[in-house]
Amino acid sequence: MERDQEPEECVVQTQMFCVERPVYNQESLQGRLHKKEKTPQPLSQKIARSCRCSSKKAKSHLYSFLPILKWLPRYPVKAYLFGDIVSGISTGVMQLPQGLAYALLAAVPPVFGLYSSFYPVFLYTFFGTSRHISIGTFAVISLMIGGVAVREAPDEMFNIIESNSTNNTDLLENYKARDAMRIKVAVAVTLLSGIIQLSLGLLRFGFVAIYLTEPLVRGFTTAAAVHVFTSQLKYLLGIKTKRYSGALSVLYSLIAVLSNIAKTNIATLIIGLTCIVLLLSGKEINDRFKKKLPVPIPMEIIVVVIATGISAGMNLSNTHEVAVVGDIPKGLLAPTVPDINLLPAVFIDALAIAIVGFSMAVSMAKIFALKHGYTIDGNQELIALGICNSAGSFFQTFAITCSMSRSLVQESTGGKTQIAGTLSSIMVLLVIVAIGYLFEPLPQTVLAAIVMVNLKGMFKQFGDIKHFWKTSKIELAIWVVAFVASVFLGLDYGLLTAVAFAMITVIYRTQSPQYRILGHIPNTDIYCSVEEYEEVKEYPGIKIFQANTSLYFANSDLYASALKKKTGVDPCAILAAKKKAQKRHAKELKKTNEHRKKAVLKLTNDMETSVKHEIINDELPLNGKSTDTKVQGTSPDELEHFMEPVTNVHCIILDFTPVNFVDSVGAKMLKSVIEEYEEVGVFVCIASCSGPVMDDLTRLNFFGKSTTRDLLFYSIHDAVLSCQLMVASVPQTSSPVFVSPSESHMKN
């Protein structure tokens, strides 16, 4: 079918509408519009403008860097203060036992958990933008730090062999040396993770958290819960075993505990199980009577106080060899510079801790911000966490982030602003300065019980498997990979594996999109899939093809193949069929000529029967056809005798609504497809092409002689009307698409 240049504006009346409407292609409509003039600025001017300072700009930057300057002067004392005080006390009561407990996960003495519950929490008040999250120690981050500390300062380095019965003085000295080294490692990791968070925040890289999708984070935290639970078993049972880190550490820890199960300290086990029952009962009461209780029952601090009193009164550490917290120094430590020589060895770990910590904090902050109607700044949250970690490392703290359980308590008890967090940190400070030594007889099994009970919410995430099985198999795969990789490879390499797999799923989705043929709903200009709805009808001779993906190097070949399959028109197959038919026709002509030569030769050898031979030769059939001399001059149109029509498609419309970008490979493929279909008389046009995609095509030199801008239409309906007008106005000078009868017979 020959295609004339399309008029700029044409009016077509179709069965869809009873009124006439103008039809515009992209070229004609752009001729009617005038773009706004934009004067490009040189790079020097942009730099000068960004560096230019004014009082208004300086004030804006100051308020952005120190959000407290913005909200504190407007703080409504009467409305907010009482709720913040109650919330701060409730959260502080949780901070104390959790700080002590999570220090065990970080492989440092318990008092350093108290330091980490004071300095960073106090600093976040000045730099944080979330009003409701509780910053401090968190099980997952503490476990990741502990893994690094154990790896860099293993027991073997200090000649420590775990035993269930020893009070050797030299061994105690070795323990002190080991703990001192592990503190250095934890502080170095904290400093580096803080620097990474601060740098990402200043560079406006707050978007990095989007790469940790919800299924990935939930699978990762569930695996972390398995690690944490396994690591606390030895404290619950009163068994002294080596602490493992890295790949298969969960299995090694389980084997070590089970191989020493006969050495279980019965007194330690009874205390631990009793605490677990009390803590679970307290959580159940708080959940069930949440609306009736003015504040949640602080069961954790109650258990800690009671267990400490019983341990001190009965002298459990000596009479029953129950492991206790031990020495808690009174007062704060003087600031010291972290050991920077350790930074290269812990860089990868610090990067993982920085990203995971930020992801935890910002996801929880977004939930509360949405609930209470305010906004948070992801970049400022990175800066706040970076300052909390990097500055806190000089005061011997380990990395912190948002705690989900404490944040829920802080919000549910009436917390309105960051003042609640400040009050909770002040409570921790009072304990450190004044009464910290009172917790020295606290059994370690109590802290293990607190950690295990707080994992309840994470273990509930196993229910995600059922949810994702029903909603999305790909998200289920991400969850499972994150969980399995983190359990067996360790949290650091497990996280990297999960992120890589999540990226692969994105590529897989772009390579395996849904390809559909669209049709119209009668009497509307709405187009839907013809395979999904019975009412949807196709226009005769017009195929509308849609793929819900962009066009780039990874899926361009798949796009072209799907187009040929869905439309039922394969230009290469059609051209091959035509060539095959022409060759067969030429072969038959050759046989006819050879047979005629033989007939003439026979005629000359037998002159007496010349008339008879001439009659025979004139009537000689060849494959059921006469060998008329006119066959030699057969025109191309007569090839239709050797071919039969297979389709009457004359137009294909490519719906580009889902296309977000096109690269050079996709543009070349698209241009090749248009030219191939043009060779077989099928017109291909593009509908609903967005501005950025248009810019991509222009930049990639897509438009030329064979692919002009006249091929582009603003909507599918405009393209349909134009195709109908073309068929109605252009004379059919060429035949429809044909294939040979033999090809058709073979397909059937």
Side-chain angles (χ1 to χ4, degrees):
M1 176 173 48
E2 294 181 357
R3 176 162 49 85
D4 295 335
Q5 186 176 0
E6 193 169 337
E8 291 187 357
E9 179 180 345
C10 48
V11 179
V12 178
Q13 184 173 355
T14 69
Q15 60 178 350
M16 296 176 60
F17 296 100
C18 297
V19 295
E20 296 181 344
R21 69 184 294 275
V23 180
Y24 297 106
N25 60 18
Q26 205 121 357
E27 181 71 17
S28 62
L29 193 55
Q30 282 187 352
R32 294 171 175 266
L33 300 176
H34 302 282
K35 284 191 174 184
K36 293 182 179 180
E37 294 184 2
K38 295 181 181 179
T39 305
Q41 288 186 338
L43 181 61
S44 58
Q45 290 185 5
K46 292 181 180 179
I47 296 175
R49 185 177 180 181
S50 62
C51 296
R52 191 179 303 154
C53 184
S54 63
S55 59
K56 185 177 180 181
K57 190 174 182 180
K59 185 178 179 180
S60 175
H61 283 301
L62 182 62
Y63 281 177
S64 176
F65 185 70
L66 285 170
I68 191 174
L69 298 177
K70 191 173 183 179
W71 60 264
L72 187 59
R74 305 175 185 175
Y75 183 78
V77 178
K78 293 183 179 180
Y80 284 2
L81 185 59
F82 179 75
D84 282 339
I85 291 175
V86 174
S87 177
I89 294 174
S90 302
T91 309
V93 166
M94 291 184 67
Q95 285 269 26
L96 290 171
Q98 289 188 7
L100 294 170
Y102 292 152
L104 295 179
L105 292 176
V108 296
V111 68
F112 291 90
L114 296 180
Y115 299 153
S116 302
S117 299
F118 167 63
Y119 290 107
V121 180
F122 185 76
L123 288 172
Y124 184 81
T125 304
F126 297 90
F127 299 98
T129 60
S130 176
R131 305 173 189 173
H132 295 90
I133 64 173
S134 174
I135 292 296
T137 55
F138 183 56
V140 176
I141 300 298
S142 300
L143 182 67
M144 295 177 73
I145 292 174
V148 184
V150 172
R151 186 190 70 211
E152 297 297 323
D155 292 341
E156 294 80 4
M157 183 183 293
F158 304 92
N159 298 321
I160 295 176
I161 301 176
E162 294 290 357
S163 174
N164 286 320
S165 58
T166 180
N167 278 322
N168 193 323
T169 304
D170 293 336
L171 188 59
L172 292 177
E173 292 296 327
N174 292 340
Y175 275 128
K176 290 182 180 180
R178 181 200 65 181
D179 290 343
M181 184 60 187
R182 288 182 176 178
I183 291 169
K184 288 184 178 181
V185 174
V187 169
V189 173
T190 302
L191 173 64
L192 189 53
S193 64
I195 293 174
I196 292 172
Q197 289 173 330
L198 184 59
S199 302
L200 292 176
L202 294 175
L203 295 173
R204 323 306 288 175
F205 269 66
F207 65 87
V208 295
I210 64 176
Y211 294 105
L212 299 181
T213 64
E214 183 182 1
L216 187 151
V217 171
R218 294 178 73 87
F220 174 77
T221 52
T222 306
V226 174
H227 279 275
V228 172
F229 186 86
T230 306
S231 68
Q232 296 304 295
L233 285 176
K234 67 176 185 177
Y235 297 110
L236 180 67
L237 300 174
I239 298 173
K240 292 184 178 180
T241 63
K242 176 184 175 182
R243 178 166 176 172
Y244 297 92
S245 65
L248 302 178
S249 59
V250 170
L251 296 179
Y252 294 145
S253 298
L254 283 175
I255 293 172
V257 170
L258 294 176
S259 61
N260 292 279
I261 196 72
K263 301 177 182 179
T264 299
N265 187 309
I266 302 301
T268 300
L269 179 61
I270 292 174
I271 295 172
L273 293 177
T274 303
C275 292
I276 289 176
V277 172
L278 291 175
L279 291 170
L280 289 175
S281 301
K283 282 185 175 292
E284 186 65 25
I285 293 172
N286 288 332
D287 292 340
R288 183 167 296 184
F289 302 101
K290 180 167 45 179
K291 296 182 179 180
K292 296 182 180 181
L293 293 172
V295 293
I297 299 174
M299 188 57 70
E300 290 181 350
I301 193 66
I302 292 174
V303 166
V304 167
V305 171
I306 294 175
T308 303
I310 294 174
S311 176
M314 298 179 64
N315 195 16
L316 295 178
S317 61
N318 293 326
T319 58
H320 294 86
E321 297 184 352
V322 175
V324 296
V325 168
D327 182 46
I328 296 181
K330 190 175 181 179
L332 299 172
L333 296 178
T336 57
V337 179
D339 188 354
I340 59 175
N341 294 323
L342 295 171
L343 298 184
V346 298
F347 176 77
I348 300 298
D349 306 280
L351 179 62
I353 290 171
I355 295 176
V356 172
F358 169 65
S359 176
M360 296 287 184
V362 78
S363 59
M364 204 70 186
K366 286 180 179 179
I367 292 174
F368 288 125
L370 183 63
K371 181 178 179 180
H372 294 277
Y374 64 93
T375 58
I376 64 160
D377 185 351
N379 294 308
Q380 182 59 30
E381 287 297 302
L382 264 176
I383 293 173
L385 291 174
I387 292 175
C388 291
N389 284 323
S390 57
S393 65
F394 289 88
F395 297 92
Q396 308 294 293
T397 67
F398 55 84
I400 51 85
T401 186
C402 161
S403 168
M404 291 182 281
S405 59
R406 292 197 307 270
S407 298
L408 291 172
V409 170
Q410 181 170 317
E411 187 264 347
S412 63
T413 52
K416 302 294 183 181
T417 63
Q418 292 91 321
I419 294 294
T422 305
L423 294 177
S424 68
S425 67
I426 292 175
M427 285 190 64
V428 175
L429 176 63
L430 293 176
V431 172
I432 296 172
V433 173
I435 61 174
Y437 67 94
L438 296 176
F439 293 100
E440 290 180 356
L442 176 64
Q444 291 184 358
T445 185
V446 177
L447 300 180
I450 293 173
V451 172
M452 288 180 168
V453 171
N454 282 320
L455 298 175
K456 178 183 175 183
M458 293 187 188
F459 281 125
K460 284 184 177 180
Q461 293 177 163
F462 278 110
D464 294 344
I465 296 176
K466 181 179 179 181
H467 169 71
F468 288 128
W469 177 264
K470 294 180 179 179
T471 57
S472 173
K473 299 297 190 299
I474 292 180
E475 290 188 333
L476 174 62
I478 294 174
W479 193 101
V480 172
V481 169
F483 174 79
V484 173
S486 299
V487 166
F488 292 105
L489 299 180
L491 296 180
D492 44 4
Y493 290 107
L495 179 63
L496 294 176
T497 303
V499 171
F501 182 78
M503 296 293 184
I504 292 173
T505 61
V506 175
I507 298 174
Y508 169 76
R509 291 187 184 192
T510 60
Q511 285 189 302
S512 304
Q514 293 182 352
Y515 300 106
R516 299 183 295 179
I517 294 295
L518 306 183
H520 75 288
I521 299 176
N523 301 320
T524 70
D525 59 351
I526 300 173
Y527 294 82
C528 303
S529 173
V530 296
E531 297 178 356
E532 295 182 11
Y533 304 101
E534 295 180 356
E535 294 81 4
V536 175
K537 306 297 180 183
E538 290 188 72
Y539 287 107
I542 300 176
K543 293 287 185 179
I544 306 171
F545 178 76
Q546 182 192 72
N548 59 337
T549 184
S550 298
L551 289 179
Y552 69 114
F553 66 92
N555 65 1
S556 57
D557 290 339
L558 298 174
Y559 184 94
S561 300
L563 174 63
K564 296 172 183 178
K565 182 178 179 180
K566 284 289 185 179
T567 58
V569 182
D570 187 348
C572 296
I574 294 170
L575 292 174
K578 283 186 176 182
K579 291 180 180 179
K580 188 175 180 180
Q582 290 174 351
K583 288 181 179 179
R584 210 168 103 252
H585 186 53
K587 188 176 180 181
E588 292 184 357
L589 288 177
K590 185 177 180 181
K591 288 182 179 180
T592 302
N593 292 334
E594 291 178 354
H595 192 76
R596 187 175 297 278
K597 290 179 180 179
K598 291 180 180 179
V600 171
L601 182 60
K602 186 175 181 181
L603 180 63
T604 55
N605 292 334
D606 193 359
M607 293 298 294
E608 295 180 357
T609 58
S610 59
V611 177
K612 182 177 180 181
H613 281 283
E614 185 176 355
I615 294 173
I616 291 175
N617 289 328
D618 288 339
E619 297 177 356
L620 184 64
L622 180 60
N623 291 335
K625 290 188 174 67
S626 175
T627 57
D628 196 343
T629 56
K630 294 182 180 179
V631 175
Q632 290 181 335
T634 304
S635 64
D637 292 338
E638 294 183 10
L639 289 176
E640 295 178 10
H641 294 292
F642 296 87
M643 307 173 71
E644 63 180 7
V646 70
T647 179
N648 60 349
V649 175
H650 51 74
C651 294
I652 294 177
I653 301 172
L654 305 180
D655 179 18
F656 264 39
T657 304
V659 178
N660 295 319
F661 68 91
V662 178
D663 70 353
S664 60
V665 178
K668 289 178 181 178
M669 178 276 300
L670 192 61
K671 191 170 186 177
S672 175
V673 164
I674 293 174
E675 292 174 349
E676 285 179 2
Y677 277 100
E678 189 175 16
E679 288 185 20
V680 296
V682 177
F683 171 63
V684 178
C685 61
I686 300 172
S688 302
C689 186
S690 64
V693 175
M694 276 281 295
D695 295 338
D696 289 342
L697 294 176
T698 303
R699 188 179 64 256
L700 296 170
N701 298 321
F702 171 77
F703 299 107
K705 293 182 180 180
S706 60
T707 53
T708 64
R709 294 181 183 269
D710 292 335
L711 302 177
L712 274 62
F713 294 88
Y714 273 97
S715 67
I716 298 176
H717 190 60
D718 285 327
V720 169
L721 295 178
S722 179
C723 291
Q724 290 178 332
L725 177 69
M726 182 187 303
V727 174
S729 60
V730 177
Q732 302 294 321
T733 58
S734 63
S735 302
V737 178
F738 290 97
V739 298
S740 64
S742 59
E743 294 266 330
S744 176
H745 179 71
M746 290 174 63
K747 290 179 181 180
N748 294 333

